[in-house]
Amino acid sequence: MSWLTATYLIDARPDEIEARAQTLALEQSVECPLEAIGDRRVLDEIVARVDAITPVAENRYRVDVKIAVETIGGEPAQFMNMIFGNCSLWEYVRLVDVALPQGLSSRFPGPNHGIAGIRTLLGAGERALTSTALKPQGVPVAELARLCTVFARGGVDIIKDDHGIADQVYSPFAERVAACQRAVHEVTERTGRPIFYAPNLSGTPRRLRRRAEIARSAGVRVVLVAPMLVGIPAFVELVEEFPEFVYLAHPAGAGGRIDPVLMFGKLFRLFGADAVIFTNYGGRFAYPPEACAALASAARRPWELVRPALPVPAGGMLLERIDELLDFYGKDTMLLIGGNLLVARDALLERTREYVAKVTHYGSAGIGVHA
Amino acid sequence: MSWLTATYLIDARPDEIEARAQTLALEQSVECPLEAIGDRRVLDEIVARVDAITPVAENRYRVDVKIAVETIGGEPAQFMNMIFGNCSLWEYVRLVDVALPQGLSSRFPGPNHGIAGIRTLLGAGERALTSTALKPQGVPVAELARLCTVFARGGVDIIKDDHGIADQVYSPFAERVAACQRAVHEVTERTGRPIFYAPNLSGTPRRLRRRAEIARSAGVRVVLVAPMLVGIPAFVELVEEFPEFVYLAHPAGAGGRIDPVLMFGKLFRLFGADAVIFTNYGGRFAYPPEACAALASAARRPWELVRPALPVPAGGMLLERIDELLDFYGKDTMLLIGGNLLVARDALLERTREYVAKVTHYGSAGIGVHA
């Protein structure tokens, strides 16, 4: 028998935490009163068990629950169901960690490329990496392609669709991918510097697959996917069917009661994200710096055969903060700065070059506030 | 131009609500500062707009945001992205309602059968309906089939897999569906009473489709799916590809910052659920009665061409509460009682018959506390 440990934060009074923890363990396994179970094996091997209850604040507890691996098989939908299915419905419960027994991680794809693979693709050595976003949705394909040309001339490593750009009439997927890929390709042909356009893959599973095929045919090597919008099982299937893509995972739709450190740093990585975009501290989102550091660390740390994933802080980031951010995150990081480039309007190329120069030369003598 | 209205509850101080609302509108549409946008059409037709801000409690506001329909196309992933993509990441935001402009609902499948279709399938007239669950996961197929026989003899309308039963080694999908379907069929052949086994369909999109095909081949007419576990886009595709199934939507994995009334009563219905399972008030989950009433009402109310969906209150329900529950929900309801039958162990058949009799005769003279 093999068990994984799911860890929850549960709000409860001291006199009710034991009952809440036990109820959660039943709910996340057999979903019925113990007295309804006549099968000894089910009681011994299937019923989840409260392993530890630790107070962490007033009326808040950290609760470790052991869940039988046998209940999961190797499927992501059922894995999510067993760790956060019905108990997601309780307002007072948050899922904060999952520890897998040895070998279980191999049932999920993990990153096919990881940090090392991305560096190889980009020919980037040990420096920090840059990315930006094509914005805003609503502009025609020609404008998105023009932005691609400017960003590519500016030297940004990865130019991704904004995650709101799907397959709308104003920038249909096939036409957009062809035009943006061509625009970037033309620049890289001239400069010799590897730069990649990453289209946003969205849609129902069949459409997702068709779009992935279109992208592959166009020569795309990096794609953007929001796992919680397309659905984790569809994301996993995509990673398995199109292992040649580098996957940037977008956090849209992932808010709720799963801790972001676990969701982006660990689960998205396990499900195949080569790079995980998350909302940086101090931007227009509100994660504290400690959570951002823990997330980046979770994405990178050694974990059986699961390749490290690249942390990509994003969300209202400013060029002025680059040194601070790289001091904080280190070089195994890709920054994602979009809007703060686009506000330059006619000076977009210059501002893009400034962005790339700041990141590329970070830590070199004479450049950056910490030199 | 056409706009939908998404309504959020936003926690904020009076001096910050205006900024939070405007930031949300930008985040849910163009995702960049307005000064980065040079295209007049985007400013006029794509940027989302704050339509109303209404205080509802101290430091809490109801905020209506108009979002351009053009940004959505007809795809469920992009629809969810536009109403609750990035803003799902803000702890202080909840999505509580969505109002669609005329015609937009027709871009999504909606229930293929709805309440009337379920009644026809079950030959059930105007009475309240009954369902139960095969539990616990972990028991072998023969035991699940035995439970099917007992529940079918007891006269329960729909006998569904527990949502934790997927494709584990102890009850593999194909074997289980064949055995449970056969068990129910044998009883209905004898009694002539239409009773249905509803297997749980889970898995990555390809597996989901394969399992749906297996179920269809076995003669299954009703299935259980947890849209938030398989992913909404995969659920929608399933509904479109297998319109002959009656879909029971399970709430597992759907907890978070989308209001349950909206999620289960409106969105699941829009995406094709013929019946929506939700956690009843006073059981082991904690929705207040008003939310349950609003949810049931949202599922049933007239809505363009979207058929009404059947509310299915569930979760720690007791036989003793049947009259109260039917007084509360009315007859266009299917009760789901599982564990409270199974605790009867050797007297399961009798207890099941008691359940069915109580529901079937609800409101008849001389039966029920309110008769």
Side-chain angles (χ1 to χ4, degrees):
Chain A
M1 280 182 297
S2 174
W3 304 81
L4 65 80
T5 303
T7 303
Y8 306 88
L9 284 185
I10 300 184
D11 293 333
R13 296 190 314 267
D15 64 321
E16 63 187 0
I17 181 58
E18 178 70 29
R20 285 197 164 176
Q22 295 295 348
T23 302
L24 186 146
L26 285 189
E27 193 63 43
Q28 286 305 110
S29 54
V30 289
E31 247 197 287
C32 66
L34 286 179
E35 59 266 33
I37 302 175
D39 187 326
R40 188 75 240 166
R41 198 189 74 85
V42 172
L43 291 170
D44 290 346
E45 301 180 15
I46 302 294
V47 175
R49 300 162 182 190
V50 176
D51 198 46
I53 299 178
T54 317
V56 294
E58 196 185 338
N59 293 335
R60 175 165 288 189
Y61 297 83
R62 190 179 165 92
V63 177
D64 294 325
V65 176
K66 286 201 177 304
I67 295 173
V69 167
E70 202 181 357
T71 61
I72 288 171
E75 301 204 27
Q78 178 62 4
F79 174 57
M80 293 306 294
N81 188 25
M82 291 308 298
I83 62 176
F84 207 55
N86 276 2
C87 75
S88 78
L89 300 169
W90 284 316
E91 293 266 350
Y92 55 79
V93 174
R94 292 175 68 93
L95 178 67
V96 294
D97 204 5
V98 179
L100 305 187
Q102 207 185 345
L104 185 56
S105 66
S106 67
R107 300 195 197 171
F108 302 100
N112 285 311
H113 308 270
I115 296 178
I118 293 174
R119 289 200 178 284
T120 304
L121 183 71
L122 295 171
E126 283 306 299
R127 65 174 171 82
L129 305 171
T130 56
S131 60
T132 189
L134 302 175
K135 297 171 188 257
Q137 66 158 302
V139 300
V141 166
E143 169 63 5
L144 296 174
R146 185 191 73 80
L147 288 174
C148 275
T149 301
V150 178
F151 286 142
R153 287 180 60 204
V156 178
D157 294 310
I158 293 177
I159 303 161
K160 72 165 191 67
D161 281 342
D162 212 8
H163 83 282
I165 300 181
D167 186 39
Q168 297 97 334
V169 286
Y170 40 71
S171 52
F173 184 82
E175 188 193 329
R176 178 176 91 245
V177 170
C180 290
Q181 180 71 6
R182 192 183 323 115
V184 170
H185 184 69
E186 281 172 9
V187 176
T188 58
E189 283 285 285
R190 276 205 312 277
T191 63
R193 176 173 179 150
I195 284 171
F196 294 88
Y197 163 62
N200 176 32
L201 300 184
S202 177
T204 55
R206 281 185 191 277
R207 286 187 182 130
L208 200 59
R209 185 175 299 120
R210 204 153 56 228
R211 286 171 193 162
E213 284 161 358
I214 290 170
R216 182 167 60 188
S217 300
V220 163
R221 294 295 307 278
V222 184
V223 297
L224 178 76
V225 183
M228 295 308 283
L229 293 180
V230 302
I232 285 172
F235 176 65
V236 167
E237 200 167 86
L238 198 68
V239 169
E240 289 174 340
E241 289 188 25
F242 297 85
E244 62 272 48
F245 289 144
V246 165
Y247 288 87
L248 312 181
H250 193 282
R257 286 193 286 271
I258 297 181
D259 187 85
V261 175
L262 171 63
M263 182 69 114
F264 306 126
K266 212 160 170 178
L267 295 177
F268 278 16
R269 175 184 175 191
L270 182 66
F271 296 139
D274 296 291
V276 289
I277 300 171
F278 63 96
T279 54
N280 186 43
Y281 67 94
R284 63 184 189 262
F285 293 86
Y287 296 157
E290 305 73 46
C292 294
L295 196 164
S297 164
R300 297 182 191 121
R301 86 165 57 99
W303 183 12
E304 296 189 330
L305 299 177
V306 186
R307 293 188 178 87
L310 186 67
V312 186
M317 307 225 303
L318 308 175
L319 257 57
E320 292 64 34
R321 292 183 63 197
I322 286 175
D323 284 314
E324 171 218 330
L325 292 171
L326 294 180
D327 284 351
F328 184 84
Y329 287 111
K331 289 187 178 178
D332 270 343
T333 302
M334 180 160 69
L335 301 185
L336 171 51
I337 299 185
N340 195 240
L341 300 181
L342 291 167
V343 288
R345 303 283 282 264
D346 292 343
L348 181 60
L349 179 59
E350 292 66 32
R351 191 149 174 89
T352 303
R353 284 182 169 146
E354 186 191 343
Y355 168 34
V356 171
K358 278 197 170 189
V359 174
T360 307
H361 301 302
Y362 167 77
S364 305
I367 311 222
V369 292
H370 300 270
Chain B
M1 279 183 300
S2 173
W3 305 80
L4 64 81
T5 304
T7 303
Y8 306 88
L9 283 184
I10 301 184
D11 293 334
R13 295 188 314 266
D15 63 321
E16 63 186 0
I17 181 59
E18 178 71 28
R20 284 197 166 178
Q22 295 295 348
T23 302
L24 185 147
L26 285 189
E27 193 63 44
Q28 286 306 110
S29 53
V30 289
E31 249 196 287
C32 65
L34 286 179
E35 60 266 33
I37 303 176
D39 188 327
R40 189 74 240 167
R41 200 189 73 86
V42 172
L43 291 170
D44 290 345
E45 301 179 15
I46 302 294
V47 175
R49 301 161 180 191
V50 176
D51 197 47
I53 299 179
T54 317
V56 295
E58 196 185 341
N59 292 333
R60 175 164 291 188
Y61 298 83
R62 189 177 166 94
V63 177
D64 294 325
V65 177
K66 287 202 176 300
I67 295 173
V69 166
E70 203 181 356
T71 61
I72 288 171
E75 302 204 23
Q78 178 61 3
F79 174 57
M80 293 306 294
N81 188 24
M82 291 308 298
I83 61 176
F84 207 56
N86 275 3
C87 75
S88 78
L89 300 168
W90 283 317
E91 293 265 351
Y92 55 79
V93 175
R94 292 175 68 92
L95 177 68
V96 294
D97 204 5
V98 180
L100 305 187
Q102 208 184 345
L104 185 55
S105 67
S106 67
R107 300 196 197 171
F108 302 99
N112 286 310
H113 307 272
I115 296 178
I118 294 174
R119 288 200 180 284
T120 303
L121 184 70
L122 295 172
E126 283 306 299
R127 65 175 172 82
L129 305 171
T130 56
S131 61
T132 190
L134 302 174
K135 296 170 188 254
Q137 66 158 299
V139 300
V141 166
E143 169 63 6
L144 297 174
R146 185 191 72 80
L147 287 174
C148 276
T149 301
V150 177
F151 286 142
R153 288 180 59 203
V156 178
D157 293 310
I158 293 177
I159 303 160
K160 73 165 192 65
D161 281 343
D162 213 9
H163 82 283
I165 300 181
D167 187 39
Q168 297 97 337
V169 288
Y170 40 72
S171 52
F173 184 82
E175 188 193 328
R176 179 177 88 245
V177 170
C180 290
Q181 181 71 7
R182 192 182 323 114
V184 170
H185 183 69
E186 282 173 9
V187 175
T188 58
E189 282 284 285
R190 274 206 312 276
T191 63
R193 176 173 180 153
I195 284 172
F196 294 88
Y197 162 61
N200 176 33
L201 299 184
S202 177
T204 55
R206 281 186 190 278
R207 286 188 182 129
L208 200 57
R209 185 176 300 118
R210 205 154 56 227
R211 286 172 192 161
E213 284 162 356
I214 290 170
R216 182 167 59 188
S217 299
V220 163
R221 295 295 308 278
V222 185
V223 297
L224 177 77
V225 183
M228 295 306 284
L229 293 180
V230 302
I232 285 173
F235 176 65
V236 167
E237 199 167 86
L238 199 67
V239 169
E240 289 174 339
E241 290 188 25
F242 297 85
E244 63 272 48
F245 288 145
V246 165
Y247 288 86
L248 313 181
H250 193 280
R257 285 193 286 272
I258 298 181
D259 187 85
V261 174
L262 170 64
M263 182 69 115
F264 307 125
K266 211 159 171 179
L267 295 176
F268 278 16
R269 175 184 174 191
L270 181 67
F271 296 139
D274 297 289
V276 289
I277 299 172
F278 63 96
T279 55
N280 186 44
Y281 68 92
R284 61 184 192 261
F285 293 87
Y287 297 156
E290 305 73 47
C292 294
L295 196 164
S297 164
R300 296 183 192 122
R301 86 166 57 98
W303 183 13
E304 296 188 332
L305 299 177
V306 186
R307 293 188 179 88
L310 186 67
V312 186
M317 307 223 304
L318 308 175
L319 257 57
E320 292 64 35
R321 292 184 62 197
I322 286 174
D323 284 314
E324 170 218 332
L325 292 170
L326 294 180
D327 285 349
F328 184 83
Y329 287 111
K331 288 186 177 180
D332 269 345
T333 303
M334 180 160 69
L335 301 185
L336 171 51
I337 300 185
N340 196 241
L341 299 181
L342 291 166
V343 288
R345 304 283 282 266
D346 292 343
L348 181 60
L349 178 59
E350 291 67 34
R351 192 150 173 91
T352 303
R353 285 184 168 145
E354 186 190 342
Y355 169 33
V356 171
K358 277 195 172 193
V359 174
T360 307
H361 301 303
Y362 167 75
S364 305
I367 310 222
V369 291
H370 298 270

